[in-house]
């Protein structure tokens, strides 16, 4: 059981190698929850030692994504902190010092096999490397002389030839691995920068990390990390490896191609895309938290504060879960409905503005938010569903103003009666307007549907809209009458040509 009272020092340690996806957001979230729940610290560490894969701007996008989700960090490259620097390239000297310690304690060696790649080798190669590397047991002084002469080299871990290692994951328990299956992994590359495996151990130790939540993709090299800890004689943090996401059909890991296919369908797994797509950060947090974690069988609505209270490592699911976008829509709907109207109004504003509407009337925006609240699956739908509220002029399809099975002349006559009635109404609330409009329909021999369909089309130029009474109230008397007379003019035009 992980204690809720011992302050946890946790870190989110992304590599700025591309866009920030939901998986990273979820890892950050779980770490954040543990820190906040225990009154500990949440640290942001940028793991940028892989210069080949480094992407400019990725770090900024990452921070923006975390801020958008509402996950604030206590220490990090931008805010500093007592265990910095928090960008690994700025810690190069530290790694070199510790790598040298491993060499001196015979846990690592300088390797000059430059024909070999710096990356992890295949199992049969590493056996070969372990058995055949000519400098594996070179005296340090000789290796130093070759380095001083400018020879290219890497530093490799000296994996024990026999025996096994046990590492412990809080979700999966003990994992025992035979050393013969492990590599003489590269720890420091020929550019002098450490690989992740070395840097993560040194940084987690120096930053006094107590719990490390990272994706299950690191399970295969987890035993190596255990070995490096043992070589230094350091205590390990509690390791927690939530499982990766699978693609929506559950068949395998999401590839770059799948991600692109999703984008083509208008869906995305990148944190930076959710906002423009009309998703609330609250919904994304709720959705992400529940991919791989659950509180109980029933509760599904969580805000960040609930999650801080309820999150527990014990309830993380070790099996991978498929990503489900309809769930995201579902949560988005729930969270939209949970917002206060003022809050929703302010979140809708940029969507209307980006769609070209001038939103200078705060009262109207508030009313629109109120009427749209139960009708939106996401905020991006707002201009399509409610843009007509902000338009100066609308242009209904002329045909839409003609009632079902009515002629143009009949529709025109009905419209004139509606106009007269509307003019006489003191307000457009349902209480005031519903009965008179229905009564009018019956009196003239039309269906109520004819009357309301005319009003809907005349006032909104849409087939589907919020309820007519609320719509009229928001549009206001002057515009309602203007739109009705425009519709009448259109009907007159039609009636002239084809009565
Ligand atoms: N830089 C690693 C990654 O982006 C971090 C893994 C970890 O949290 O230790 O996957």
């Amino acid at each position: 059981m992980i204690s809720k009272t011992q302050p946890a020092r946790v870190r989110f340690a992304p590599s700025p190698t591309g866009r920030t996806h939901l998986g990273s957001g979820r890892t950050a979230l779980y770490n954040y929850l543990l820190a906040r729940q225990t009154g500990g610290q949440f640290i942001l560490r940028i793991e940028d030692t892989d210069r080949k894969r480094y992407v400019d701007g990725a770090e900024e996008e990452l921070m923006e994504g975390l801020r958008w989700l509402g996950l604030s960090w206590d220490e990090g490259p931008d805010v500093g902190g007592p265990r910095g620097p928090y960008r690994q390239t700025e810690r190069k000297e530290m790694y070199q010092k510790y790598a040298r310690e491993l060499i001196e304690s015979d846990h690592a060696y300088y390797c000059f096999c430059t024909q070999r790649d710096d990356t992890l080798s295949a199992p049969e190669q590493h056996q070969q490397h372990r058995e055949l590397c000519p400098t594996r047991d070179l005296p340090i002084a000789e290796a130093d002389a070759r380095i001083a002469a400018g020879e290219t080299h890497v530093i490799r871990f000296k994996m024990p030839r026999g025996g096994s290692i046990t590492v412990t994951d809080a979700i999966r328990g003990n994992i025992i691995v035979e050393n013969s299956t492990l590599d003489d992994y590269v720890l420091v590359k020929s550019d002098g920068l450490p690989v992740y495996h070395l840097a993560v151990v040194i940084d987690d130790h120096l930053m006094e990390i107590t719990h490390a939540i990272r994706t299950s993709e690191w399970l295969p090299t987890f035993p190596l990390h255990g070995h490096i800890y043992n070589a230094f004689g350091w205590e390990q943090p509690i390791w927690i490896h939530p499982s990766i996401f699978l693609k929506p059909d559950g068949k395998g890991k999401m590839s770059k191609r799948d991600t692109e296919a999703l984008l083509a369908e208008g869906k995305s797994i990148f944190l930076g895309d959710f906002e423009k797509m009309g998703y609330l950060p609250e919904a994304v947090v709720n959705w992400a938290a529940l991919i791989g974690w659950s509180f109980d069988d029933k509760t599904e609505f969580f805000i960040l504060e609930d999650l801080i209270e309820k999150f527990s490592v014990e309830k993380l699911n070790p099996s991978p879960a498929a990503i489900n976008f309809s769930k995201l829509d579902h949560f988005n709907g729930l969270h939209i409905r949970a917002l206060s109207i003022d809050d929703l109004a302010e979140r809708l504003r940029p969507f209307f503005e980006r769609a070209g509407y001038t939103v200078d009337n705060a009262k109207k925006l508030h009313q629109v938010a109120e009427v749209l609240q139960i009708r939106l699956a996401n905020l991006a739908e707002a201009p399509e569903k409610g843009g007509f509220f902000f338009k100066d002029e609308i242009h209904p399809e002329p045909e839409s103003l003609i009632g079902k099975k009515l002629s143009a002349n009949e529709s025109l006559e009905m419209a004139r009666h509606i106009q007269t009635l509307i003019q006489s109404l003191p307000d457009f609330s349902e209480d005031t307007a519903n009965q008179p409009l229905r009564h009018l329909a019956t009196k003239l021999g039309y269906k109520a549907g004819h009357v309301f369909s005319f009003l809907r089309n005349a006032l909104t130029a849409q087939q589907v809209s919020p309820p007519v009474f609320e719509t009229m109230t928001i549009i206001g008397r002057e515009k309602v009458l203007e739109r009705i007379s425009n519709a009448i003019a259109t009907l007159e035009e039609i009636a002239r040509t084809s009565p």
Side-chain angles (χ1 to χ4, degrees), residues 122-171:
E124 54 289 356
Q125 275 177 348
H126 77 70
Q127 289 295 357
Q128 229 183 43
H129 197 97
R130 180 157 36 174
E131 301 311 325
L132 302 179
C133 180
T135 58
R136 196 176 198 258
D137 295 309
L138 199 68
I140 299 178
E142 276 180 47
D144 284 345
R146 287 173 70 164
I147 293 165
E151 211 173 318
T152 310
H153 63 282
V154 299
I155 298 176
R156 284 184 185 268
F157 189 73
K158 209 178 223 181
M159 189 60 71
R161 288 198 161 102
S164 64
I165 177 134
T166 304
V167 281
T168 308
D169 168 73
I171 321 172

Side-chain angles (χ1 to χ4, degrees), residues 11 13-15 47 196 200 213-214 218:
R11 84 297 192 281
S15 300
E47 303 206 325
Y196 166 73
V200 68
I213 306 184
R214 62 179 181 186
W218 292 110

Side-chain angles (χ1 to χ4, degrees), residues 334-349:
L334 295 183
H335 283 275
I336 287 177
R337 313 229 206 292
L339 293 178
S340 72
I341 303 294
D342 280 339
D343 192 353
L344 176 61
E346 280 320 308
R347 297 197 207 203
L348 288 177
R349 182 189 288 279

Side-chain angles (χ1 to χ4, degrees), residues 17 60 82 152 154 179-180 391 428:
T17 53
E60 288 71 26
T152 310
V154 299
N179 292 333
S180 59
K391 279 185 184 161
F428 303 141

Side-chain angles (χ1 to χ4, degrees), residues 22 245-250 254 262 269 287 291 321-325:
L22 182 71
F245 300 156
L246 302 179
K247 44 184 145 178
D249 64 7
M254 190 106 79
L262 276 176
I269 54 152
W287 180 51
I291 309 179
I323 193 163
N324 179 340
F325 284 93

Side-chain angles (χ1 to χ4, degrees), residues 11-17 24 27 31 45-47 88 196 200 204 212-215 217-218 239:
R11 84 297 192 281
F12 173 52
S15 300
T17 53
S24 304
T27 301
N31 277 295
R45 182 172 77 220
I46 303 293
E47 303 206 325
Q88 287 187 328
Y196 166 73
V200 68
D204 284 349
I213 306 184
R214 62 179 181 186
T215 122
E217 284 176 296
W218 292 110
W239 292 103

